[in-house]
Amino acid sequence: MLFHTPEFIALMIVSLVFFYAFPRWRIPILTIANMIFYVVAGVGNLLLFLAMTAFTYYCSKGLRGPYSRFFLWFSIVINVANLIFFKYTTFLIRSAESWFSVKLLTDDAFLLKIVLPIGISFYTFQMIAYLVDVYKKRWEPAQSVFHFWVFISFFAHLVAGPIMRGKEFMPQIDNLFKIRFSTANFRLGAFFLTLGIFKKVVLADYLTPHVDEFFSRTATLTGAEGWIAAYLFAFQIFFDFSAYSEMALGIAYFFGMELAVNFRTPYLSQNPTEFWRRWHITLSNWIKDYIYIPLGGSRNGEVRQYTNLFIAMTISGIWHGASWTFVAWGMFYGALATVHKLYLIVKEKLGLGFLDKSLIYRFIAIVVFFHITCIAWVLFRVTGLNDALSLIGRMLKPDAFHFAGLRVYLGIAILLFALHIVEHFLHKHRSGLSVWWHKYFPAPIRAVLYTAIAAILILYLKGEQNTFIYFQF
C-alpha cells in the first residue's frame, strides 16, 4: 500500500480518529492498522511476518536468563535464515549453476515461484538489532508481544525504513497512551508528508521514464549517455527514497511519534565516509554497530580495520539485493572507504590538512565524489555485472564528457543538483525560515499557497503511480 494512494490516506485518517479518541486502546488500534496495511502484500506475507515477530519476541524473553547466549544466536540464525531463504536462495542456486555448468532448477521449480515479502530486509535488521540490544542490556524487552509488533510493524517505517532501534522507538511505543493531540506535530507532519509526496510524484516519477529509457539500452549507450543516465538515476533514487523517509516522518508526527532522519543531502559529500553519514543513515549506523564494530572495528590495527570496513560495506551491498551487481556495489564502497582512509594518512603526513578549509578544494571534492557516486549507481542500476562494467569502461574514456545532443538532459541534471543545494539550505535554516514565513506572510496568503500546492499534488496523483524503488529490498 503506497503512502500517496487514497487507500492509505483513508487507513491513516481512520487510524488517527480512533488513536486520539481512545488513548487507552492505542496499542490494539495500531496493531490492527499495521495488519491491514501489510495484508495488502498478501495473507501469506502477513502470516510469515506475524510468525517471525512472535518468534523473535518470545526468544527475547530468554535473553535475560541462564541460556541467554543460546537464545540470542538461535533467534539471529532463524531471522537470517528466513531472509536468506526468501531473498537469496534462487540467486545462490543460479550462481552455482553458472559456476559448475549444471542444471539445478527446472523452469517450473517451486523456488522460482516464491515472492520476496515486502519489507523483509528492513524488519529482519530491526529484529536483530532489538535482540542484540536486549542481550547487551541496552534496553529492556518489550512489555508484550503486541508492543513489540507495533514497534516492528508501525506502517510509517515498515516497508523501507528508517530502521528504528529499541532505545529510539520503544519508549515512544510504551508511552503511546500519554500522547496528546498537538497542532505543532500536525504542522510538522503535513510539511514532511507534502515534501515527500512532492519529491515522489513531481520529481522521482518524472525522472523514471527517462532513466528507464536510457538503461533499457545499456549495451549501446555511449560514455556521455552513460553519464547522463547515471546523473538522472542518482537523483531519481534520492528523491524516491528520501520521499518515502520524509513521508514516514510526517505520518509518525501525526501520531505524536518521531522517527530517525534518514537523509541529509548526500550528494554534497566530499568523500565516502561523509556520504554514508548522509545517505540511508539508519542502515549505515546499523552496519557500523552490528557488523563493523563486532568484527573489531579499528581496534586491531590498520590492516584489520580496512578488512573490517570492506566486509561491512560488502554486506551492505548484499543486503540491497540478490545480484552480483549489488555485491560489486558494496565492494566498490568498501574499497573507496579504504582508499579514503589511506588518503587521509598521506594528506596528514604531507601537511596538507589546510586544504580542508579551502572552499575551492571542498567544491572540487564534492564534484569529484559525486561522479564517483554516479559510477557506483551504474553498478546498482544495471542488471548484469558485465554490462555494468562495460558501460563504466565507456564512461571513463576521454571523450565521455562530450555532451553534444544531450545538453537538455545535462541542464536537467545541473538543475537537480542546484535543487539539492537549495534543500540543504532549507533544512539547515528550517527554524529561522519558519519564523520568517509566518511573520511576513499573513495567514490568508499562506492558506492560498497551501491550497495551490495541494491542488498541484492532487493533479499529479491522478497520474500513473510508481512504486518506491526500495520496496524491492
Side-chain angles (χ1 to χ4, degrees):
M1 189 182 294
L2 301 177
F3 287 163
H4 53 297
T5 59
E7 295 82 4
F8 177 78
I9 298 298
L11 172 64
M12 183 177 68
I13 291 173
V14 172
S15 300
L16 282 169
V17 169
F18 281 96
F19 184 85
Y20 285 105
F22 305 101
R24 294 286 174 182
W25 290 87
R26 285 173 176 171
I27 291 295
I29 289 167
L30 289 183
T31 295
I32 295 169
N34 294 337
M35 288 182 181
I36 294 172
F37 175 80
Y38 197 78
V39 77
V40 174
V43 176
N45 288 340
L46 176 61
L47 293 176
L48 172 69
F49 191 13
L50 289 170
M52 292 306 300
T53 300
F55 168 79
T56 302
Y57 169 75
Y58 287 109
C59 280
S60 74
K61 304 297 282 186
L63 295 177
R64 296 298 174 84
Y67 303 104
S68 58
R69 191 172 182 83
F70 166 78
F71 279 108
L72 173 69
W73 285 107
F74 178 61
S75 53
I76 288 177
V77 166
I78 295 300
N79 269 283
V80 172
N82 180 60
L83 177 62
I84 290 174
F85 175 76
F86 283 99
K87 191 167 184 175
Y88 302 103
T89 301
T90 302
F91 164 66
L92 293 172
I93 293 175
R94 290 300 195 199
S95 296
E97 287 180 333
S98 176
W99 293 337
F100 301 110
S101 301
V102 294
K103 184 74 171 177
L104 299 175
L105 287 177
T106 60
D107 292 337
D108 60 346
F110 167 73
L111 287 174
L112 297 179
K113 300 175 183 178
I114 295 175
V115 178
L116 180 69
I118 290 178
I120 188 172
S121 299
F122 288 90
Y123 73 67
T124 298
F125 269 26
Q126 191 161 321
M127 288 183 185
I128 291 173
Y130 171 82
L131 289 165
V132 173
D133 289 348
V134 171
Y135 174 76
K136 292 183 174 292
K137 299 182 179 180
R138 296 169 181 162
W139 191 250
E140 294 297 319
Q143 293 182 22
S144 71
V145 69
F146 298 105
H147 283 75
F148 184 62
W149 166 253
V150 173
F151 165 72
I152 291 293
S153 69
F154 181 48
F155 51 66
H157 72 83
L158 168 60
V159 176
I163 302 170
M164 298 300 293
R165 308 283 188 86
K167 64 180 180 180
E168 298 169 325
F169 202 45
M170 192 61 78
Q172 300 183 63
I173 302 299
D174 291 340
N175 293 288
L176 279 179
F177 67 94
K178 295 181 181 179
I179 294 173
R180 297 291 178 263
F181 179 85
S182 166
T183 54
N185 278 341
F186 263 73
R187 282 198 299 268
L188 272 174
F191 168 77
F192 281 110
L193 185 62
T194 302
L195 177 62
I197 293 175
F198 174 80
K199 281 185 171 182
K200 173 60 178 169
V201 303
V202 178
L203 298 174
D205 287 356
Y206 166 78
L207 292 171
T208 297
H210 301 287
V211 172
D212 290 347
E213 192 280 326
F214 274 110
F215 282 106
S216 68
R217 49 188 180 90
T218 302
T220 60
L221 289 178
T222 65
E225 289 173 328
W227 281 114
I228 293 295
Y231 294 156
L232 297 184
F233 178 67
F235 286 105
Q236 180 205 8
I237 194 170
F238 167 71
F239 288 132
D240 190 277
F241 195 10
S242 66
Y244 181 96
S245 296
E246 281 154 0
M247 291 165 78
L249 285 175
I251 293 164
Y253 275 122
F254 287 147
F255 288 90
M257 292 183 277
E258 187 173 352
L259 300 180
V261 173
N262 224 9
F263 292 89
R264 290 192 176 94
T265 48
Y267 297 140
L268 299 182
S269 303
Q270 301 176 50
N271 55 67
T273 302
E274 184 182 2
F275 178 79
W276 284 103
R277 290 172 181 163
R278 290 169 170 261
W279 174 274
H280 204 172
I281 298 167
T282 56
L283 174 65
S284 304
N285 290 338
W286 196 99
I287 293 293
K288 179 188 71 176
D289 293 341
Y290 301 101
I291 302 292
Y292 175 68
I293 291 176
L295 284 173
S298 59
R299 296 190 299 270
N300 300 304
E302 292 179 356
V303 174
R304 181 67 181 272
Q305 178 190 9
Y306 302 150
T307 302
N308 295 338
L309 193 58
F310 186 81
I311 292 171
M313 294 310 303
T314 301
I315 291 173
S316 173
I318 294 170
W319 176 88
H320 278 83
S323 167
W324 287 111
T325 53
F326 290 114
V327 177
W329 182 74
M331 293 173 70
F332 180 79
Y333 270 111
L336 269 183
T338 300
V339 170
H340 177 245
K341 295 288 186 186
L342 294 171
Y343 169 73
L344 291 178
I345 293 172
V346 172
K347 189 171 71 170
E348 183 179 353
K349 288 183 177 180
L350 294 177
L352 299 176
F354 67 91
L355 289 174
D356 295 332
K357 299 178 181 180
S358 167
L359 288 176
I360 296 175
Y361 173 81
R362 287 158 62 187
F363 173 78
I364 294 172
I366 289 171
V367 172
V368 170
F369 187 72
F370 174 69
H371 283 80
I372 293 173
T373 303
C374 287
I375 292 173
W377 284 134
V378 171
L379 292 170
F380 193 97
R381 179 60 174 79
V382 175
T383 303
L385 183 57
N386 289 334
D387 287 339
L389 294 176
S390 177
L391 177 57
I392 291 171
R394 296 194 295 275
M395 291 167 63
L396 295 178
K397 289 183 178 179
D399 62 346
F401 288 95
H402 296 165
F403 294 107
L406 297 168
R407 290 190 176 88
V408 172
Y409 285 114
L410 181 61
I412 292 173
I414 294 171
L415 181 63
L416 292 172
F417 203 96
L419 193 60
H420 201 59
I421 296 172
V422 171
E423 181 182 2
H424 172 75
F425 175 83
L426 292 175
H427 278 298
K428 185 176 181 179
H429 302 284
R430 190 175 70 192
S431 298
L433 288 170
S434 177
V435 172
W436 175 83
W437 172 253
H438 286 86
K439 181 178 180 180
Y440 292 103
F441 288 83
I445 295 178
R446 296 200 305 270
V448 170
L449 291 173
Y450 295 151
T451 303
I453 292 170
I456 292 170
L457 292 179
I458 289 170
L459 288 174
Y460 273 94
L461 287 171
K462 287 184 177 180
E464 182 181 355
Q465 293 168 347
N466 297 309
T467 188
F468 290 89
I469 293 173
Y470 263 69
F471 275 23
Q472 65 185 296
F473 307 132

